[in-house]
């Protein structure tokens, strides 16, 4: 993967097509056969790229992944296509026509921006990432809108662009995931200074676990989930300073902060609502709970309960059938009595590991019924709530 050039030749592209659907279990046999007619290094590179493309389908979709070029870090760290497209549309709607994409990686965000009709300067200091970004712009027919530059982003002049987008590296080969924003590469403080120079708008991608107190006063903070999984947080500049929002994809469905106080604690009702992770991360549980006429089951737990069912995109509703004090033996007996074969365990505010409880409470299935168990606290007391999702 140090050099994509051989894969971009006619021989390399033909080999990529040939190994596209190779099962990893059969790689050795395929490699042995192909090395009779092709250089060993090229065969290894093609098979490695095929593996990366297979992994990338989850983020980019089958059609794009089959044409794009990836690095291992690029597959791991690139933005999911749906999230990048949403962000690009926000910039387009703000009147942005050109963006300096700093720390562009393999170019996933640059592709989304270009597909929104935005001209992009994509910059990365990693030669492998820059080569992949350039190859991807060409492979997807977007080379006319994307200029890729291998450079240190701290030395790039962005004054000729309407907007700036920065996606600092949040992983290290030595330390793994980085939690301190000032340990990002480049640091958060530098990235904020860079985006504040943008004449129209700017966006800064950060880890969703960032403390709210670390959000600059000039920024709007948005937490984004896709299919129920929190994917990222974005700091927007030039939009609505001080605003906090949670956006759920597909949709999009967006919940905006209104400064509501935390909901009150109330007894467990017929329904339990599990807020989307973006709602929880953005501290907007109160905004999600208000239309549900709901309250919290515990002042420190982000589960909302109510007596009536109200459809909402911001939480998953469960109908609660049983409330038990935490007791594995009682749970095991209840599951056997009800012929439960599928047990889903969720927890919030409990030290018990879901897999451990599943193994002890349901060592072998007793039937075909399914149950969801919530390990949590109710008014400070360890409790098990049993129910099922409302379809």
């Amino acid at each position: 993967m140090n050099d994509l050039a051989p894969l971009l030749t006619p021989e390399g592209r033909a080999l990529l097509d040939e190994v596209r659907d190779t099962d990893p279990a059969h790689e050795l046999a395929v490699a042995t056969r192909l090395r009779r007619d092709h250089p060993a290094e090229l065969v290894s590179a093609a098979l490695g790229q095929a593996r990366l493309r297979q992994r990338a389908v989850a983020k980019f979709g089958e059609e794009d992944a089959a044409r794009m070029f990836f690095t291992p870090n690029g597959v791991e760290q690139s933005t999911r296509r749906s999230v990048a497209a949403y962000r690009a549309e926000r910039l387009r709607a703000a009147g942005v026509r050109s963006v300096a994409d700093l720390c562009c990686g393999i170019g996933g965000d640059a592709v989304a921006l270009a597909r929104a009709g935005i001209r992009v300067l994509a910059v990365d200091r990693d030669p492998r990432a820059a080569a992949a970004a350039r190859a991807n712009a060409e492979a997807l027919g977007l080379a006319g809108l994307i200029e890729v530059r291998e450079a240190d982003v701290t030395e790039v002049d962005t004054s000729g662009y309407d907007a700036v987008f920065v996606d600092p590296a949040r992983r290290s080969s030595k330390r793994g995931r980085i939690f301190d924003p000032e340990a990002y590469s480049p640091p958060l403080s530098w990235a904020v200074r860079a985006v504040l120079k943008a004449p129209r708008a700017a966006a800064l991608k950060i880890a969703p676990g960032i403390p709210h107190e670390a959000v600059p006063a000039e920024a709007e903070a948005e937490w984004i989930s896709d299919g129920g999984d929190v994917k990222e947080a974005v700091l927007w500049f030039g939009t609505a300073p001080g605003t906090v929002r949670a956006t759920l994809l597909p949709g999009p469905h967006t919940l905006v902060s209104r400064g509501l106080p935390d909901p009150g604690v109330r007894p467990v009702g017929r329904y339990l609502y599990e807020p989307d992770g973006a709602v929880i991360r953005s501290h907007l549980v109160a905004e999600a709970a208000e239309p549900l006429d709901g309250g919290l089951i515990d002042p420190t737990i982000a589960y909302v309960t109510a007596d009536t069912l109200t459809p909402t995109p911001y939480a998953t509703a469960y109908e609660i059938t049983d409330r038990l004090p935490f007791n594995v033996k009682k749970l095991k007996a209840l599951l056997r009595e009800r012929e439960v074969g599928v047990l889903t365990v969720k927890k919030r505010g409990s030290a018990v590991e879901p897999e451990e409880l599943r193994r002890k409470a349901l060592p072998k299935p007793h039937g075909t019924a399914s149950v969801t168990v919530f390990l949590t606290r109710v008014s400070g007391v360890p409790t098990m709530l049993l129910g099922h999702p409302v379809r």
Side-chain angles (χ1 to χ4, degrees):
M1 283 306 303
N2 288 335
D3 187 4
L4 285 177
L7 293 176
L8 300 177
T9 64
E11 181 183 13
R13 292 180 184 276
L15 199 55
L16 280 172
D17 288 340
E18 187 170 351
V19 302
R20 171 177 174 173
D21 299 318
T22 299
D23 186 329
H26 301 150
E27 268 193 13
L28 182 57
V30 171
T32 301
R33 175 175 58 82
L34 292 175
R35 283 170 182 163
R36 297 170 189 157
D37 302 310
H38 304 279
E41 295 82 359
L42 182 59
V43 172
S44 295
L47 287 169
Q49 190 62 225
R51 284 195 303 271
L52 294 176
R53 286 177 167 182
Q54 290 168 5
R55 288 170 51 195
V57 168
K59 284 190 174 183
F60 291 92
E62 190 170 351
E63 184 178 350
D64 279 357
R67 293 187 289 166
M68 293 175 69
F69 294 86
F70 299 95
T71 66
N73 284 341
V75 172
E76 186 72 27
Q77 299 179 24
S78 56
T79 304
R80 185 180 289 260
R81 183 175 64 179
S82 55
V83 178
Y86 164 76
R87 213 186 310 105
E89 176 56 27
R90 276 204 69 179
L91 288 169
R92 188 204 63 77
V96 170
R97 296 294 175 263
S98 61
V99 172
D101 177 4
L102 308 183
C103 309
C104 70
I106 56 100
D109 284 290
V111 165
L113 290 163
R115 283 176 167 167
I118 298 172
R119 179 172 59 88
V120 185
L121 170 64
V123 184
D124 205 290
R125 67 180 180 183
D126 182 346
R128 293 172 296 176
R134 190 173 293 109
N136 290 333
E138 294 174 357
L140 299 177
L142 299 169
L145 283 171
I146 300 174
E147 174 194 348
V148 179
R149 189 179 302 174
E150 181 188 329
D152 185 332
V153 297
T154 64
E155 299 174 358
V156 173
D157 180 9
T158 62
S159 59
Y161 296 84
D162 293 341
V164 174
F165 172 65
V166 187
D167 182 6
R170 294 175 298 282
R171 289 181 181 272
S172 165
S173 58
K174 294 182 179 179
R175 293 185 294 167
R177 185 170 295 174
I178 297 171
F179 297 97
D180 178 7
E182 284 306 300
Y184 292 174
S185 180
L188 178 63
S189 56
W190 179 89
V192 170
R193 291 195 299 272
V195 297
L196 284 173
K197 297 176 184 178
R200 186 175 289 274
L204 170 55
K205 180 179 171 180
I206 53 175
I210 187 170
H212 280 231
E213 55 269 22
V215 175
E218 306 94 331
E220 168 198 329
E222 180 177 30
W223 278 260
I224 303 174
S225 69
D226 186 24
D229 295 328
V230 182
K231 295 302 178 184
E232 64 179 57
V234 185
L235 301 183
W236 294 93
F237 297 81
T239 53
T243 298
V244 176
R245 67 175 69 213
T247 295
L248 284 57
L249 302 175
H253 303 283
T254 297
L255 191 64
V256 180
S257 59
R258 291 186 285 128
L260 299 181
D262 290 340
V265 176
R266 52 152 293 174
V268 176
R270 181 176 178 182
Y271 297 99
L272 186 76
Y273 293 87
E274 181 183 29
D276 184 272
V279 172
I280 295 173
R281 294 277 194 171
S282 57
H283 298 177
L284 297 181
V285 172
E287 280 76 1
E290 185 186 48
L292 306 176
D293 192 24
L296 300 178
I297 64 171
D298 185 277
T300 63
I301 304 295
Y303 283 139
V304 177
T305 188
D307 292 321
T308 57
L309 179 63
T310 305
T312 175
Y314 302 113
T316 301
Y318 294 81
E319 185 171 9
I320 298 302
T321 57
D322 299 88
R323 172 180 170 178
L324 306 171
F326 181 79
N327 187 302
V328 177
K329 288 184 178 180
K330 287 185 178 180
L331 176 62
K332 185 176 180 179
L334 184 61
L335 297 179
R336 183 184 300 110
E337 176 187 332
R338 295 186 181 174
E339 299 182 337
V340 171
V342 180
L343 178 63
T344 301
V345 182
K346 293 176 171 286
K347 75 164 192 170
R348 187 162 292 151
S350 172
V352 178
E353 290 301 322
E355 190 54 45
E356 177 187 356
L357 180 69
R358 190 181 294 109
R359 186 174 61 252
K360 291 180 178 179
L362 194 67
K364 45 178 77 171
H366 302 291
T368 59
S370 61
V371 169
T372 298
V373 176
F374 294 88
L375 302 179
T376 187
R377 293 194 305 272
V378 173
S379 298
V381 179
T383 303
M384 297 184 295
L385 300 175
L386 280 65
H388 54 83
V390 178
R391 303 300 181 187

